[in-house]
Amino acid sequence: MASVFTKIIRGELPARFVWRDGDCVGFLSINPLKPGHTLVVPIEEVDHWVDLSPDLMRHLTTVSQHIGQALERAYNPSKVGLLIAGLEVPHVHLHVVPIWGFHDLDFANAERNPDPAALDSSATVVRKALRDLGFSQVAD
């Protein structure tokens, strides 16, 4: 059975995409830790990051870095956090989050019922920052 992320990638479930290329996608978390919280997900359905090919892992971290640069530009955080947990969905996903402290990476603080308009606004902000940085893989 396809993971929820595979269903999102296929367009069977909605998402606010900010990145799409031949190997992965980036879309906003529906339970963001902070505005701009983006998930970088390989198109290939792999459960655990240690099982990714080295090339795909390299690509996911490169895309996460690009999105992190966009989050820096858009939100001016102290840092951009990168987290691989993988407990929620059995499909590799990297969390890229603008942070001001360690508490910003605590999933107990995730927004459980975010305003859809705020998520739409965050997606617009992240896409613009990616375009401003010269990336053509921005998803609309």
Side-chain angles (χ1 to χ4, degrees):
M1 187 164 116
S3 78
V4 66
F5 289 160
T6 295
K7 291 177 181 180
I8 289 169
I9 292 165
R10 290 179 185 161
E12 297 168 10
L13 294 173
R16 289 164 179 87
F17 288 92
V18 298
W19 183 279
R20 183 180 294 271
D21 64 33
D23 296 313
C24 72
V25 297
F27 53 85
L28 294 189
S29 172
I30 60 169
N31 298 119
L33 294 169
K34 287 292 181 187
H37 177 177
T38 303
L39 304 178
V40 177
V41 182
I43 292 170
E44 178 185 355
E45 194 170 303
V46 176
D47 179 20
H48 198 315
W49 69 271
V50 299
D51 296 325
L52 293 169
S53 73
D55 286 341
L56 184 53
M57 183 64 187
R58 232 179 333 275
H59 183 69
L60 295 176
T61 56
T62 298
V63 170
S64 295
Q65 187 176 39
H66 297 330
I67 290 171
Q69 291 164 345
L71 295 178
E72 281 183 324
R73 178 180 281 249
Y75 296 101
N76 196 31
S78 297
K79 297 284 182 178
V80 175
L82 178 64
L83 179 67
I84 305 172
L87 297 172
E88 315 85 18
V89 177
H91 189 146
V92 172
H93 53 289
L94 286 68
H95 296 263
V96 187
V97 186
I99 61 172
W100 287 263
F102 285 112
H103 61 279
D104 293 328
L105 291 173
D106 183 346
F107 286 100
N109 298 326
E111 201 168 342
R112 298 291 171 220
N113 222 355
D115 177 11
L119 291 174
D120 291 340
S121 176
S122 290
T124 298
V125 165
V126 174
R127 286 184 202 114
K128 181 183 181 321
L130 285 164
R131 281 190 194 94
D132 289 350
L133 289 167
F135 296 107
S136 61
Q137 300 88 341
V138 178
D140 288 311

